[in-house]
Amino acid sequence: MDKKTVLVAFGGVSPEHEVSVITAHQAISALDGSPYQITPLYITKTGRWLTGENLLDLKNFEDLKKLEENCTPCSFGQNELGQSVLIEQKSGFFSKQRTTPVYAVLNGFHGSTGENGSFQGACEMFNIPCSGSGVMASSIGMDKVMAKEICRAQNIPVVDGVDFVEEEWIDNQAAIIKNIESLEYPVIVKPVHLGSSIGVEVVKDKEALIRAIESSFKYDDHLLVEKVVTPLMEINCSVIGSSRKQRTSVCERPLGKEELLSFQDKYLNDQEAKGMASADREIPAKIPDELTSAIQETSVEVFKLLSCSGLARLDFLVNEETHQFYFNEINTIPGSFSFYLWEESDIAFKDLLLELIDIAVEDQNQKARRIQSYDTNLLSQKAVKGIKGLKTNT
Ligand SMILES: Nc1ncnc2c1ncn2[C@@H]1O[C@H](COP(=O)(O)OP(=O)(O)O)[C@@H](O)[C@H]1O
Ligand SMILES: [Mg+2]
């Protein structure tokens, strides 16, 4: 029997495009010898959907233009049986389109439309199981303000901050600065929807604050300025599961060399492309057991509260002296799928990915078991005759 096809989706119109390529390639290597046919689904930086063997070799990504020329454009569609398929548009006037039924998608995008629920929505429209959180949890997870507001409402500790959109900044700069200054310097400026520390800056006075805000607006139209937690210790924890059950990984402590973990620290320090797995870190984090347990429990609480599924990494800011911790953000598609945390929790990367695929399929099956439409065609009923404004009534 033919193997079922799992698409590994990655790339995307996102500042984290390259990081996603690395995450996906780590997954593709780990899935070597899996029971599935692994097919790449690559979205270019300009949004083209491509597939093909050439996408399976990381070396080919050194020349993106050449790579694009040597791949096949593709899209989701349905075959004559109503199955959801990947359609490969073969070039040449007479060549036939190839269609492959899709069993599931392993979502390896980072940032923007691959992570914010848009791509998940496309999968949902085609009834294709997609790993990770669904539309709502993905979009909340990508919105630092929304995720924190929901947590705040449930008494999960979050850092105080001020958020505003560009229009508000233009109209009410003085009032916004006043609000921010009531938090007291130093404060940290960040774009609401981005990741990988892009556009994030700590500032200590008004002049630097205005400069950082203007600079961050280049990336996002919504910014968040927060009180800085100091002395800072960052602790992350991964959760795998669904609304049905969840488990946590060990905690990690990322160790940045600069004041905050920069894009450089996270991805560019190594010669070899290792993604998030290469950043300097302490695993398991050497923190008291009570703090570990509290962070693990809060991670599950947030995962459930935001209706997450699949895998997520929850990041906390901890005051190193008092051990007061704050939920900072949830990454619904964490770099390298946080495999290095699960390996430390005795789960091999391959098994982690297979479990992620299983959860996506199970989520889809659960949904399919519910009543989603009615067999009775209301339009065939006489009742239609009573509806005003229809041509049939005249
Ligand atoms: N309130 C804060 N106090 C101190 N440092 C912070 C605070 N918020 C963020 N940071 C630092 O900035 C980094 C990036 O911020 P984060 O909110 O995680 O955004 P991103 O989505 O870009 O990862 C964090 O990893 C941490 O080092
Ligand atoms: Mg972060």
Side-chain angles (χ1 to χ4, degrees), residues 161-315:
V162 175
D163 71 286
F164 47 93
V165 294
E166 196 163 21
E167 288 282 301
E168 290 172 316
W169 173 249
I170 293 165
D171 295 345
N172 305 310
Q173 191 164 325
I176 292 171
I177 293 176
K178 197 165 164 241
N179 280 345
I180 293 171
E181 291 189 331
S182 72
L183 300 170
E184 290 180 10
Y185 292 110
V187 291
I188 185 161
V189 179
K190 34 182 151 169
V192 169
H193 304 98
L194 255 69
S196 296
S197 305
I198 298 166
V200 176
E201 201 180 326
V202 173
V203 293
K204 299 186 174 84
D205 57 50
K206 188 168 164 180
E207 202 183 306
L209 172 71
I210 295 171
R211 220 180 319 113
I213 289 174
E214 307 267 316
S215 153
S216 271
F217 273 131
K218 283 192 229 135
Y219 301 102
D220 203 335
D221 68 346
H222 192 179
L223 302 186
L224 173 63
V225 181
E226 281 181 347
K227 207 173 162 60
V228 163
V229 176
T230 181
L232 175 71
M233 165 165 74
E234 297 191 58
I235 300 289
N236 305 339
C237 175
S238 180
V239 177
I240 192 167
S242 63
S243 56
R244 299 174 289 281
K245 54 176 191 262
Q246 312 78 26
R247 11 189 247 289
T248 51
S249 71
V250 296
C251 290
E252 70 170 327
R253 178 177 181 184
L255 304 165
K257 283 174 210 71
E258 296 169 30
E259 234 180 349
L260 50 104
L261 274 184
S262 64
F263 193 77
Q264 176 82 25
D265 280 333
K266 284 179 180 170
Y267 305 113
L268 306 176
N269 278 349
D270 265 19
Q271 292 298 316
E272 218 186 312
K274 287 194 198 138
M276 250 332 252
S278 73
D280 250 354
R281 60 193 66 253
E282 187 179 274
I283 309 173
K286 294 190 191 99
I287 51 173
D289 289 349
E290 308 83 73
L291 185 57
T292 299
S293 306
I295 284 177
Q296 286 172 328
E297 276 164 31
T298 310
S299 298
V300 168
E301 206 182 328
V302 176
F303 187 92
K304 283 162 64 181
L305 183 62
L306 304 184
S307 304
C308 292
S309 195
L311 183 95
R313 197 193 73 225
L314 293 98
D315 297 354

Side-chain angles (χ1 to χ4, degrees), residues 89-102:
Q89 278 120 26
K90 296 282 180 199
S91 54
F93 194 66
F94 293 106
S95 46
K96 205 174 168 302
Q97 282 181 339
R98 200 170 96 160
T99 62
T100 314
V102 179

